Amino acid sequence: MNSVESIAAKAKSGIWGLDNILSGGFSRGHVFLVEGAPGTGKTTVALQFLLEGARAGEKCLYITLSETERELRDGAASHGWSLDNGIEIFELLPPESLLDSDQQQSLLYSSDLELGETTKQIFEAVDRSRPDRVVLDSLSEIRLLAQSSLRYRRQILAIKHYFAKFNTTVMLLDDLTADVADKTVHSVAHGVLRLEELAPAYGAERRRARVIKYRGVKFRGGYHDVTITTGGLNVFPRLVASEYRSNFQRNTMSSGIAELDRLLGGGIETGSSTLILGPAGTGKSLAAIVFVVAAISRGEKAALFVFDEELGLLFSRMKGLGIDLEAMQRGGDLFIEQVDAAELSPGEFAHLVRKRVDEDRIKTVVIDSLNGYQAAMPEENSLVLHMHELLQYLNRRGAATFMTVAQHGLVGDMKAPVDVTYLADTVVLLRYFEALGTVRRAMSIIKKRTGMHESTIREYRIDNRGLTIGEPLDGFQGILRGVPVYVGEGQPLLQEQTA
């Protein structure tokens, strides 16, 4: 069977990201385990799995041992789903005879009777319905009734072989409330999906998913970010840049400012990344937005992802510099997203960026700033890995990416909270310097992989005209120490201009 036929033969989960990491979905006619602590989204996954089957005209059966039918329907309704069409719910209750003390037999434990009766009811429900898809919720009750690992394994094997007769695709749910170390079902199941929930020190809970096992299928390994919203569970596959390649013509993009273009050796190349580095107040956001304005003036579209600044303040501040971001947004040329680092996971952010680049064909992307992006993963040490994959992906899509990083301190030995200078193709360094009794700003290019650049230092000014850049300055000392001092005579310095 070729890969196309294999994907077509799979039972889709109804969750795009989950199908992506499963290489198309669940192999039909097999048993799969979805495990996770209470609250990780197992029931939501199961309902979406059955709803997808019902949409495809398949018979679906939900066998519940832990939740009532009313609870299931209420949970589905909270997502806007109806379980009335194509989905049968079988609520398995303990037999009344086993609850009657007069019926108890002294030679057999009640758990023996209950286990056999429970399995019998499951088989009878399947035999009546002959479903294409089945969800069994949950295995914890069967494990408790079995009381021993051997009896539990025998019951799981019996259930597996019974379903195999009908070529049914089965999803077993396990809430891990019993013996977590028991891997009985792992060895029996065709595939295992684990859902996890993490609670950071601050912000909303974080969820993630990992495929532990999938026989005969090359799945996407590792952890993938997960969210649960109204409408279901969302999986954001881990970005692997090497999977995305495209042919594009590498062009040089102008900033719209002649002096800045000369400093950059002509401009910024498409399919490259630029890091704008400097202390607070040096104009890092403005330097990046200059390229956004230039892209829109060329008839292109751009995207701006803002972590640190409130959008209303950003709009007002840029308007005072002669840049109307609101008008660009209203015109549909500029996509602006306010990113809440406490709420948005790194995987979800990468998915958001990819969606804009792929669907809206955006070629200029600004991330302001990486300090805020790092805050989105306060308990992770993988920012550099995330950024590497995201930048490689954007480069291969032919997009020009601009990132800002705020360094700690204003003058002296400044350090960035995260060092990604080796990832960026171009690094723009912004600094304060003192000259003739005033504090001024200087810009220099310390790295450019894609071509030559000026090795000079240019002064720049920020006023109501926006960004103004002067001629190259001589007579600087201390630029590499982080304390540029101008010792020239003052003639090349930018002169104040009156409106």
Side-chain angles (χ1 to χ4, degrees):
M1 181 181 293
N2 61 40
S3 59
V4 176
E5 292 171 338
S6 176
I7 292 175
K10 290 184 177 179
K12 293 187 177 298
S13 67
I15 304 168
W16 168 82
L18 183 55
D19 289 336
N20 182 280
I21 67 177
L22 292 173
S23 296
F26 298 98
S27 299
R28 293 187 183 275
H30 292 287
V31 174
F32 292 87
L33 172 65
V34 177
E35 63 177 14
T40 51
K42 298 181 301 299
T43 302
T44 305
V45 170
L47 290 175
Q48 287 180 266
F49 170 68
L50 294 184
L51 286 165
E52 180 67 19
R55 279 192 289 269
E58 301 175 21
K59 287 185 178 181
C60 299
L61 174 64
Y62 196 114
I63 302 173
T64 174
L65 290 81
S66 55
E67 288 189 75
T68 65
E69 180 175 350
R70 179 179 177 182
E71 287 174 325
L72 281 174
R73 293 190 181 278
D74 288 347
S78 69
H79 290 290
W81 304 330
S82 172
L83 305 181
D84 295 332
N85 298 320
I87 299 177
E88 178 186 347
I89 299 176
F90 177 64
E91 185 179 345
L92 202 158
L93 300 174
E96 293 183 6
S97 61
L98 295 176
L99 300 177
D100 186 355
S101 59
D102 295 334
Q103 300 293 325
Q104 298 289 343
Q105 301 182 34
S106 58
L107 297 179
L108 292 171
Y109 291 108
S110 60
S111 60
D112 294 324
L113 295 173
E114 279 196 74
L115 180 60
E117 187 66 26
T118 297
T119 307
K120 179 183 175 184
Q121 289 188 51
I122 292 173
F123 291 168
E124 289 175 348
V126 173
D127 196 47
R128 285 194 308 269
S129 179
R130 300 293 177 97
D132 300 296
R133 300 189 184 201
V134 170
V135 169
L136 180 57
D137 182 13
S138 80
L139 294 181
S140 298
E141 281 68 22
I142 296 178
R143 184 189 289 110
L144 291 172
L145 289 174
Q147 293 188 331
S148 74
S149 180
L150 177 60
R151 295 179 65 222
Y152 178 53
R153 183 179 180 85
R154 285 177 177 172
Q155 290 301 312
I156 296 301
L157 284 170
I159 290 172
K160 176 181 178 179
H161 290 306
Y162 186 81
F163 281 120
K165 294 191 301 183
F166 302 100
N167 196 34
T168 302
T169 308
V170 184
M171 181 181 289
L172 306 177
L173 306 186
D174 190 358
D175 58 16
L176 302 179
T177 54
D179 186 4
V180 179
D182 188 352
K183 301 298 182 183
T184 297
V185 188
H186 281 232
S187 64
V188 174
H190 191 72
V192 179
L193 172 68
R194 171 166 287 191
L195 302 175
E196 297 181 5
E197 183 184 53
L198 307 173
Y202 181 82
E205 68 279 358
R206 297 286 171 84
R207 291 184 170 89
R208 61 185 187 179
R210 181 167 75 96
V211 180
I212 296 177
K213 165 188 175 182
Y214 197 166
R215 286 182 182 141
V217 173
K218 183 175 174 57
F219 57 86
R220 191 184 297 273
Y223 285 105
H224 311 275
D225 289 336
V226 170
T227 62
I228 299 178
T229 57
T230 301
L233 184 135
N234 309 290
V235 178
F236 303 98
R238 181 173 57 84
L239 180 60
V240 181
S242 60
E243 298 177 356
Y244 300 89
R245 296 185 181 276
S246 62
N247 296 321
F248 64 92
Q249 185 175 0
R250 198 175 293 275
N251 301 314
T252 301
M253 302 166 46
S254 170
S255 66
I257 302 173
E259 293 81 5
L260 180 54
D261 287 344
R262 286 198 290 270
L263 186 62
L264 288 165
I268 293 293
E269 283 68 27
T270 55
S272 70
S273 56
T274 302
L275 177 65
I276 303 174
L277 196 64
T282 47
K284 297 180 297 298
S285 300
L286 174 61
I289 289 174
V290 160
F291 288 92
V292 169
V293 174
I296 293 174
S297 67
R298 293 192 299 267
E300 302 172 5
K301 292 185 177 182
L304 174 59
F305 299 93
V306 183
F307 279 90
D308 304 327
E309 193 169 0
E310 196 274 324
L311 285 186
L313 179 59
L314 177 65
F315 289 154
S316 176
R317 189 164 65 87
M318 288 297 125
K319 192 171 288 186
L321 300 175
I323 300 174
D324 194 344
L325 294 179
E326 280 186 288
M328 299 175 190
Q329 185 184 40
R330 285 194 302 268
D333 298 320
L334 176 62
F335 170 83
I336 302 179
E337 177 76 18
Q338 175 86 61
V339 182
D340 188 342
E343 300 294 328
L344 198 68
S345 67
E348 190 174 357
F349 173 68
H351 176 76
L352 181 62
V353 175
R354 289 171 54 195
K355 184 177 180 182
R356 291 298 161 190
V357 171
D358 290 343
E359 295 182 5
D360 300 330
R361 301 189 181 280
I362 286 174
K363 294 301 181 184
T364 302
V365 176
V366 173
I367 301 173
D368 185 23
S369 67
L370 291 189
N371 304 72
Y373 190 49
Q374 183 186 35
M377 47 183 88
E379 297 177 0
E380 299 182 36
N381 298 317
S382 52
L383 173 63
V384 172
L385 293 177
H386 275 278
M387 286 308 306
H388 176 270
E389 294 300 318
L390 184 57
L391 290 178
Q392 287 289 329
Y393 165 80
L394 291 170
N395 287 356
R396 292 180 179 193
R397 288 300 194 197
T401 310
F402 298 87
M403 307 165 289
T404 66
V405 170
Q407 294 178 297
H408 297 314
L410 296 176
V411 295
D413 186 16
M414 289 174 284
K415 294 183 179 179
V418 55
D419 183 13
V420 292
T421 52
Y422 74 95
L423 290 181
D425 299 307
T426 303
V427 178
V428 180
L429 186 64
L430 307 182
R431 283 287 185 263
Y432 292 110
F433 72 95
E434 178 187 354
L436 307 179
T438 60
V439 176
R440 296 171 178 263
R441 299 180 177 94
M443 177 185 297
S444 55
I445 309 300
I446 60 175
K447 169 188 176 183
K448 190 181 182 188
R449 285 191 183 123
T450 54
M452 300 299 294
H453 63 87
E454 280 189 4
S455 58
T456 60
I457 299 171
R458 288 178 181 258
E459 184 191 359
Y460 66 97
R461 183 175 59 242
I462 300 173
D463 56 21
N464 58 2
R465 296 179 179 84
L467 184 65
T468 303
I469 299 179
E471 295 299 317
L473 293 175
D474 298 324
F476 259 104
Q477 292 180 353
I479 181 70
L480 295 180
R481 295 200 309 271
V483 192
V485 177
Y486 182 62
V487 294
E489 298 179 357
Q491 197 62 33
L493 295 174
L494 283 170
Q495 303 300 311
E496 295 295 333
Q497 299 179 7
T498 57

